[in-house]
Amino acid sequence: MAKTQLNVRVEEGTARAARERAPARGMSAHRYIEEPVRQDAGEAGRAFVEAAADFMKQYETVFAEQSDGGAPARATPRAGEGGEGPREGRR
């Protein structure tokens, strides 16, 4: 992934702590500062996926009724179905 430079002003104590603690964790100071941002972005992604899964579970029967007349939706293809290629009704 390409890197870009971002100049951020922090208090001297914060900069000192980053320089001191980063090597103890086996990383550079910039990686030490970058990590909480990455985690925050990842948590937002996980929260979205969890909310989407909850939504799908809540409305599972509605989706099944709309898609194939009431048969429960399958999470995985049956034997012999590769899941590749166009699906009927989806274009």
Side-chain angles (χ1 to χ4, degrees), residues 11 15 17 23 29 31 34 50 65 72 76-79 82 86:
E11 292 184 10
R31 177 66 183 198
E34 180 182 34
E50 288 172 6
E65 290 170 1
T76 56
R78 291 184 183 142

Side-chain angles (χ1 to χ4, degrees), residues 7-88:
N7 295 319
V8 179
R9 293 186 184 275
V10 296
E11 292 184 10
E12 183 58 39
T14 302
R16 185 174 38 255
R19 289 185 198 108
E20 291 171 358
R21 295 178 185 200
R25 293 185 178 232
M27 60 179 72
S28 66
H30 72 268
R31 177 66 183 198
Y32 181 79
I33 292 169
E34 180 182 34
E35 197 60 31
V37 176
R38 287 174 162 262
Q39 289 175 357
D40 184 49
E43 289 172 13
R46 280 190 295 278
F48 172 78
V49 170
E50 288 172 6
D54 184 50
F55 175 84
M56 293 297 289
K57 187 67 176 170
Q58 283 182 315
Y59 293 96
E60 180 177 21
T61 55
V62 175
F63 295 140
E65 290 170 1
Q66 292 295 319
S67 65
D68 53 16
R74 291 181 289 126
T76 56
R78 291 184 183 142
E81 292 180 349
E84 300 292 325
R87 289 183 159 174
E88 192 172 319

